[in-house]
Amino acid sequence: AALNPWDVMLCVSGTAIACENALVVAIICYSPTLRTPMFVLVGSLATADLLAGLGLILNFVFQYVIRSETVSLLTVGFLVASFAASVSSLLAITVDRYLSLYNALTYYSERTVLCTHTMLAGAWGVSVCLGLLPVLGWNCLHDRAACSVVRPLTKSNVTLLSASFFLIFLIMLHLYIEICKIVCRHAHQIALQQHFLTASHYVATKKGVSTLAIILGTFGASWLPFAIYSVVGDSDYPSVYTYATLLPATYNSMINPIIYAYRNQEIQRSMWVLFCGCFQAKVSFCSRSPSDV
């Protein structure tokens, strides 16, 4: 079959996603200092995005090399599970950031570690279950009328996935609004103690709020078009609409390492240690709060 340019772009996107996130996973696994709950969550996000990138590559290969309904179901299920784990990990990171500010005094405790592992277990468990649904029979291979804009997923399956995304997006929006309130309240308390709000405090507060807006805006701009179109679209619509909304959604997995990993000073230092050896092995790493990342 002739190559579809959209499939080629998805494969290229998957390759970039896999390379970026493989580096993050390697750095976190290589550096013993990056074992805090914050970096465990970032590692979970990078792992999910890495699997999503590999899934896009495998989908391209099997679509043009090995054409099989069974393989198609397995690939689609793998992609659903990977992207669901990515979105769930983003929610877990948001919850962790909120808790690091709301319960600052008790954040560095064993309970936080337990909470992190519980969130990750729940996120990956739900994601795997969502990925298994098409494989276990929730597909439209034998009923073309039930197909959604993403074959072989059914309309009801895609509706469930979209509803889950909307719920996660609303939860993240609420938590980031609460985080902004806490940050502004802290800045106000500092201003009362010092009788005025210094320029550095104002800049730090503005930067923190802007960063949260960029994070949420990027997430929404990447996934909302595809989630909305999956609900309102029909399988009879031209496939170009599906590709045009799905491709930006994959960009979120490409941007995540930049936002959550490469901007972090500890990960930057670990990169230098891993590739250049510019720092001694005994260099001290200052572990910061998730709200600073």
Side-chain angles (χ1 to χ4, degrees):
L3 286 178
N4 186 335
W6 287 101
D7 289 330
V8 175
M9 286 189 287
L10 284 175
C11 183
V12 172
S13 177
T15 303
I17 292 170
C19 292
E20 279 185 298
N21 289 280
L23 179 58
V24 176
V25 173
I27 290 171
I28 293 178
C29 293
Y30 169 80
S31 305
T33 54
L34 304 181
R35 296 291 186 269
T36 62
M38 172 180 64
F39 289 111
V40 170
L41 293 172
V42 173
S44 172
L45 175 63
T47 302
D49 287 333
L50 169 61
L51 294 177
L54 293 176
L56 291 173
I57 299 173
L58 292 175
N59 182 64
F60 177 83
V61 172
F62 291 142
Q63 187 173 355
Y64 289 97
V65 179
I66 306 175
R67 303 182 65 87
S68 168
E69 290 184 350
T70 303
V71 173
S72 175
L73 283 177
L74 292 174
T75 305
V76 170
F78 185 79
L79 283 171
V80 169
S82 300
F83 280 118
S86 176
V87 174
S88 300
S89 295
L90 287 174
L91 176 60
I93 290 176
T94 305
V95 173
D96 184 64
R97 287 182 167 183
Y98 173 75
L99 293 177
S100 70
L101 291 172
Y102 185 77
N103 295 322
L105 296 178
T106 60
Y107 177 77
Y108 295 98
S109 64
E110 292 296 330
R111 187 171 62 179
T112 300
V113 177
L114 177 61
C115 179
T116 299
H117 292 163
T118 302
M119 285 194 299
L120 288 182
W124 281 92
V126 172
S127 300
V128 170
C129 290
L130 291 174
L132 287 175
L133 290 179
V135 181
L136 296 178
W138 204 356
N139 58 71
C140 62
L141 291 179
H142 304 293
D143 185 10
R144 306 291 293 180
C147 282
S148 66
V149 295
V150 183
R151 296 185 179 90
L153 299 181
T154 63
K155 295 178 182 178
S156 55
N157 192 350
V158 168
T159 301
L160 172 63
L161 295 174
S162 299
S164 301
F165 167 79
F166 290 135
L167 177 60
I168 290 177
F169 181 76
L170 290 177
I171 294 175
M172 289 179 62
L173 177 61
H174 172 72
L175 289 176
Y176 276 129
I177 290 175
E178 293 299 318
I179 290 174
C180 288
K181 290 180 180 179
I182 295 174
V183 171
C184 293
R185 186 164 62 247
H186 287 177
H188 180 67
Q189 291 173 350
I190 293 174
L192 291 178
Q193 292 175 359
Q194 299 183 353
H195 304 294
F196 63 92
L197 184 63
T198 63
S200 60
H201 291 148
Y202 173 77
V203 171
T205 303
K206 183 179 179 181
K207 180 182 178 181
V209 174
S210 299
T211 301
L212 296 180
I214 292 173
I215 291 173
L216 192 63
T218 301
F219 177 64
S222 299
W223 279 105
L224 278 176
F226 179 70
I228 294 174
Y229 178 69
S230 297
V231 176
V232 302
D234 190 82
S235 59
D236 294 331
Y237 290 2
S239 60
V240 64
Y241 296 152
T242 302
Y243 284 113
T245 54
L246 178 59
L247 188 61
T250 65
Y251 292 159
N252 187 65
S253 295
M254 197 181 301
I255 298 173
N256 283 339
I258 300 175
I259 295 178
Y260 295 96
Y262 295 134
R263 292 173 63 250
N264 181 269
Q265 293 182 359
E266 283 78 8
I267 290 184
Q268 290 175 3
R269 292 176 182 175
S270 297
M271 287 178 61
W272 284 110
V273 172
L274 182 61
F275 291 106
C276 302
C278 296
F279 292 88
Q280 298 296 328
K282 60 180 180 180
V283 66
S284 60
F285 289 83
C286 180
S287 181
R288 299 181 298 168
S289 168
S291 57
D292 298 327
V293 181

